[in-house]
Amino acid sequence: MARKQLDESFLQRPQESLDTWRRGEMTLEAGLDSLNELKRQVPEAEKLSYLGQIELYAGIFCGYTGKLDQSAKHFEAAARYFRQNHDESRLIGCELNLGETYRLMGNYTQAIRAFRISLELSTKEDILNSQALSLANEAIIHVETGNYKQARNNLTRAIELTSQPWGTPEVNPLRRLSSKCEMHYTFGVLEIQEGNIEAAWEQAKQTLEIAHAVNEPLRFGQANAVIAQVICAYGHAPEEPYEDKPDAYFKQAIANYEKIKSERELANIHLIYGNSLASRDENDNAREQYNQAMAIFARLGLPKLAAQAAEARALLGRR
C-alpha cells in the first residue's frame, strides 16, 4: 500500500529549529526541547517517518556540539524508523550523518562507506543536496589523509551541485549557500596543504563572502579560520584591509564557534592556532591553546586528537 503524503510544513519544523540555533538565537538545550515537543505532536499517519525526522535532527544538533555518542544514537534511531516505514529517501540522511559522525570519531573506513551509500541512494532518488554533502564530507577525509586528488575531484563535483536549486521549489536557498560555504572552506584548507597559497586565498575570500550572505556563526568561524591559516602561510595579509598577523582572525573564529558551542570546531581551531603561535616562538600562548584543545578533545572522547595536541605541547619545551 502506498504511503500517505507527509505534511511538509511539519517536516520543516526540525530544520527551522536547527536554523535558529545555527544563527545563535537558540541554545542546544532549547533546540532539543523543541524537538521533544514535536514528538508529542506528530500526526498519527506515517508516524514512523515523522519520528525518524525528529531523531535525525536531534543527531545533527548533538553532532555539531561534539556529543558524538548521543549523535550516533539519534541517527541509529532515525534509521530504524525509516527502515520500518520503507522510507529510503529519508534513510539517505541517516547514512550521510552517520558517515559524518564516524569521520569525527576517526573511523574513516566506516565513514567513507556511509558517504558512498548516501551518494548512491541520493543519486538514485535525484536528491541534489545529499549528493553534494556526501561528496563534500568524504572530501574532508581525503584532505585529512593527504589524498588530495580525490579531495579535489569530490569538492569540484560538490560545488557544481550547489549551482542549481536543491528542490522544486527550493524551500530554503540559504541552506544550499551554507553548505557551499563549508565546501569553499575545505577547498581553502586543501589548497594550503598543497602549497597553492594564492588559490587558497581566493577560496578564503569566497568563504567569507558566502558567510556574510548566510549570516551564521559556524560559517563565519570557518571563514575566519581559513583566512588566519592563509595569512600564516603567506607570512602577511595578501591584501588590504586584512591584518598582517593572523591572531585577530583566530580569536574571531574561536568567538564564532563559542557562540554556538561547536566544540569539535573549537578544539580544531585551538590546535591550529597553537601551531601558528609555536611557529612564531610564542610558546606560552601556544601552550594555552594546546591545553584548550587537549581538554576539549578529551571531553569529546577523541583520545588520538588529544594526544596530538599533547605531543605538540611537549615539543614546545624543545625549542
Side-chain angles (χ1 to χ4, degrees):
M1 185 173 65
R3 294 199 304 269
K4 294 181 180 178
Q5 183 69 32
L6 298 181
D7 181 350
E8 290 297 330
S9 64
F10 188 91
L11 290 173
Q12 282 300 311
R13 289 168 68 184
Q15 179 67 50
E16 290 167 1
S17 293
L18 180 63
D19 289 342
T20 302
W21 172 77
R22 286 167 68 177
R23 291 193 299 268
E25 299 170 4
M26 176 186 284
T27 64
L28 171 67
E29 293 75 16
L32 292 173
D33 286 345
S34 73
L35 296 182
N36 286 328
E37 178 60 29
L38 278 179
K39 286 183 182 180
R40 294 188 281 271
Q41 301 173 21
V42 294
E44 193 60 35
E46 302 297 331
K47 185 175 183 177
L48 293 174
S49 284
Y50 290 116
L51 289 172
Q53 189 81 345
I54 292 168
E55 290 289 349
L56 176 65
Y57 277 87
I60 294 171
F61 267 106
C62 291
Y64 268 125
T65 54
K67 301 178 187 299
L68 300 181
D69 289 341
Q70 292 182 39
S71 180
K73 288 177 182 178
H74 285 298
F75 292 141
E76 288 162 2
R80 286 194 297 271
Y81 284 128
F82 293 142
R83 286 194 183 99
Q84 288 176 52
N85 211 35
H86 307 288
D87 194 342
E88 191 172 81
S89 65
R90 291 186 173 83
L91 182 58
I92 292 168
C94 293
E95 291 289 352
L96 179 60
N97 285 287
L98 275 171
E100 182 64 1
T101 303
Y102 284 133
R103 181 186 75 79
L104 294 173
M105 296 173 75
N107 189 340
Y108 290 158
T109 299
Q110 288 298 322
I112 289 175
R113 178 181 177 275
F115 290 141
R116 291 184 178 175
I117 291 172
S118 174
L119 179 60
E120 180 182 354
L121 292 174
S122 57
T123 301
K124 176 184 172 183
E125 297 283 336
D126 196 29
I127 302 175
L128 298 183
N129 64 320
S130 296
Q131 292 177 52
L133 294 175
S134 299
L135 289 163
N137 288 353
E138 183 182 328
I140 296 172
I141 294 175
H142 295 309
V143 171
E144 291 175 349
T145 56
N147 188 1
Y148 299 135
K149 182 178 179 180
Q150 186 64 56
R152 187 177 298 277
N153 288 341
N154 277 36
L155 287 168
T156 300
R157 290 171 62 194
I159 290 173
E160 286 173 356
L161 287 167
T162 67
S163 65
Q164 51 189 309
W166 286 356
T168 307
E170 186 171 28
V171 176
N172 186 355
L174 287 181
R175 197 183 315 160
R176 172 165 50 89
L177 277 179
S178 180
S179 297
K180 185 178 183 180
C181 187
E182 182 167 28
M183 294 170 196
H184 283 291
Y185 163 74
T186 305
F187 226 138
V189 174
L190 166 63
E191 299 290 14
I192 291 169
Q193 293 190 10
E194 287 209 282
N196 304 320
I197 309 306
E198 290 185 7
W201 182 242
E202 293 306 313
Q203 294 291 342
K205 289 193 293 184
Q206 287 190 66
T207 305
L208 181 60
E209 179 181 345
I210 301 172
H212 280 292
V214 299
N215 194 31
E216 295 172 359
L218 177 63
R219 303 312 179 205
F220 276 121
Q222 291 173 329
N224 281 301
V226 72
I227 287 169
Q229 291 174 72
V230 174
I231 292 174
C232 286
Y234 264 115
H236 58 83
E239 60 186 75
E240 295 182 348
Y242 296 91
E243 297 183 24
D244 282 332
K245 287 192 174 182
D247 302 80
Y249 302 102
F250 278 122
K251 290 175 181 177
Q252 188 57 56
I254 290 168
N256 294 139
Y257 295 143
E258 285 179 338
K259 187 172 184 180
I260 54 173
K261 299 181 181 179
S262 187
E263 291 218 304
R264 182 62 164 79
E265 300 289 353
L266 265 174
N268 276 341
I269 198 63
H270 281 303
L271 178 58
I272 295 168
Y273 189 17
N275 291 339
S276 169
L277 290 164
S279 72
R280 291 178 275 150
D281 295 325
E282 296 186 30
N283 289 354
D284 289 343
N285 291 332
R287 187 173 292 106
E288 181 180 346
Q289 295 300 319
Y290 289 142
N291 286 341
Q292 295 268 23
M294 287 168 55
I296 298 172
F297 283 135
R299 186 162 64 244
L300 296 178
L302 299 171
K304 289 183 180 179
L305 292 172
Q308 182 181 335
E311 183 179 351
R313 185 185 66 177
L315 290 173
L316 293 174
R318 304 173 195 170
R319 289 176 177 271

